[in-house]
Amino acid sequence: MSITLTDARIVTPDEVHEGWLTIENGRITHVGRGKAPGEGHSLSGGYVVPGFVDIHNHGGDGGSYPEGDLDGARRAAALHARHGTTTTIASLVTAAPDDLARAAAALADLCEEGVLAGIHYEGPYISPARRGAHDPALLRTPDRSEFASLIKAGRGHIRMITIAPELPGAPEVIRAAADAGVIAAIGHCDATYEQTLAGIDAGATVATHLYNTMPALHHRNPGPIAALLEDERVTVELINDGVHVHPAMVRLAYDVAGPDRTALVTDAMAATGIGDGSYELGSMAVTVEDGVARITGTGAIAGSTLTMDVAFRRAVRLAGVSLPEATRIASLTPARVLGLDDRIGSIAVGKDADLVVLDEDLTVTAVMRRGAWLGLD
């Protein structure tokens, strides 16, 4: 199949230009400027950006990845795809090792189908003091043997694990993750600046939702935030929903880390796309009111109801990020984190035709995944 998209404003990592592009067999074969050489499908001046890449997502449309339910996981992935996320990592939450292994084994089926791009263990090796929406009774001390079993359960599809670097055994597990080709992410931690640097030296390369569930910046005790922001080896996740992080702090992190070390994520949970009500995240009861998810009875934030198109739009409208740079933090940088930037993350010849069409208000009007249009709500 071949299709040419014309009358478009194409957003690359470096610029926005008026032009056209051709897709054949699910890949981009031509990207041109000005008027297309022939007839095509007119986008009437719409912006075309690369499909969004979400490396931290717990679910949506009533489906929750930690449950390992395939029907629910399919609904979640489809909901986020309709909002422009063409590549999704399914994030689990702290659970007993057998339950984590069971969920990972189930989700591995969807990875093999191409519905998901991998699996993320957010826990159980996190700090009790910074556990957030994780069940404290199920937290564990990092263990290399146990970690190897969890990796095996995912049949090659475990892409990331979040770990608190100050815990006993954490450096060894971080090194084991790096050796296994699994991204080690620092988060849900109570670490000092020095302990965080030690975790980075051991092989950690991502900050799980920077600022959230970690000690705040302090001028005498800089803690993990300063270490993660300043180290060029680390990509920082940001939940840009206006609830988790104030826009001023989004701008601060972005100004320090820049577009090549910042990745927008949703941290979305089952309520995304549905609305307020009662839900579960792993073993924890969650109440969603006015779009904000909190652990029932405690007030602790429990994921989000964010979609990547909203995070993208907020980055441009409220954080002052240019359109080209916004495509980098929503698509190219997270793709690079996953080692997939040769295939996805930007509009370029040879890459998968994962595309999002936006109107003047940066609202999604169409989504293409691997050359096929997806139905929208």
Side-chain angles (χ1 to χ4, degrees), residues 136-159:
L138 298 174
L139 301 181
R140 302 176 66 80
T141 300
D143 180 271
R144 287 192 64 167
S145 176
E146 182 178 86
F147 172 71
S149 296
L150 291 174
I151 296 300
K152 183 178 180 180
R155 304 200 305 275
H157 298 291
I158 305 302
R159 303 305 298 269

Side-chain angles (χ1 to χ4, degrees), residues 12 16 24 110 132 165 182 299:
T12 73
V16 181
E24 296 179 6
L110 297 188
V182 174

Side-chain angles (χ1 to χ4, degrees), residues 44-83:
S44 304
Y47 292 105
V48 183
V49 302
F52 304 134
V53 179
D54 191 357
I55 60 175
H56 191 150
N57 186 318
H58 297 286
D61 198 16
S64 182
Y65 295 131
E67 292 182 7
D69 172 67
L70 296 190
D71 288 339
R74 289 182 194 278
R75 291 199 311 274
L79 179 280
H80 287 284
R82 293 194 295 272
H83 285 271

Side-chain angles (χ1 to χ4, degrees), residues 173-243:
V173 172
I174 290 172
R175 280 191 286 270
D179 290 343
V182 174
I183 300 157
I186 289 176
H188 284 276
C189 65
D190 205 33
T192 64
Y193 177 85
E194 291 76 16
Q195 289 169 329
T196 305
L197 288 181
I200 298 169
D201 287 339
T205 56
V206 168
T208 291
H209 45 51
L210 187 77
Y211 298 124
N212 301 113
T213 60
M214 57 182 63
L217 279 168
H218 189 280
H219 58 286
R220 285 190 295 273
N221 298 300
I225 295 172
L228 295 164
L229 275 176
E230 72 178 7
D231 199 300
E232 294 292 330
R233 295 171 289 182
V234 176
T235 299
V236 298
E237 297 180 353
L238 288 173
I239 308 172
N240 189 24
D241 62 352
V243 175

Side-chain angles (χ1 to χ4, degrees), residues 197-370:
L197 288 181
I200 298 169
D201 287 339
T205 56
V206 168
T208 291
H209 45 51
L210 187 77
Y211 298 124
N212 301 113
T213 60
M214 57 182 63
L217 279 168
H218 189 280
H219 58 286
R220 285 190 295 273
N221 298 300
I225 295 172
L228 295 164
L229 275 176
E230 72 178 7
D231 199 300
E232 294 292 330
R233 295 171 289 182
V234 176
T235 299
V236 298
E237 297 180 353
L238 288 173
I239 308 172
N240 189 24
D241 62 352
V243 175
H244 284 76
V245 185
H246 190 281
M249 297 304 280
V250 172
R251 289 192 295 269
L252 175 65
Y254 182 77
D255 287 346
V256 176
D260 295 328
R261 292 183 46 233
T262 302
L264 296 179
V265 297
T266 63
D267 198 21
M269 46 82 69
T272 305
I274 296 181
D276 294 353
S278 298
Y279 299 88
E280 291 184 351
L281 182 59
S283 62
M284 307 296 282
V286 176
T287 301
V288 179
E289 294 182 358
D290 298 325
V292 180
R294 299 184 184 276
I295 296 297
T296 303
T298 73
I301 296 176
S304 83
T305 58
L306 182 65
T307 51
M308 282 290 283
D309 56 330
V310 175
F312 179 94
R313 188 162 55 248
R314 287 180 59 88
V316 175
R317 300 297 192 218
L318 300 178
V321 178
S322 71
L323 277 172
E325 289 180 341
T327 68
R328 288 159 74 176
I329 65 177
S331 303
L332 185 57
T333 296
R336 187 179 296 122
V337 167
L338 298 175
L340 299 176
D341 54 306
D342 61 329
R343 287 179 37 213
I344 60 173
S346 62
I347 296 175
V349 171
K351 290 198 174 185
D352 291 352
D354 290 353
L355 306 170
V356 183
V357 183
L358 306 171
D359 65 15
E360 195 67 35
D361 294 324
L362 304 183
T363 298
V364 175
T365 62
V367 180
M368 176 181 282
R369 186 167 189 258
R370 296 175 189 168

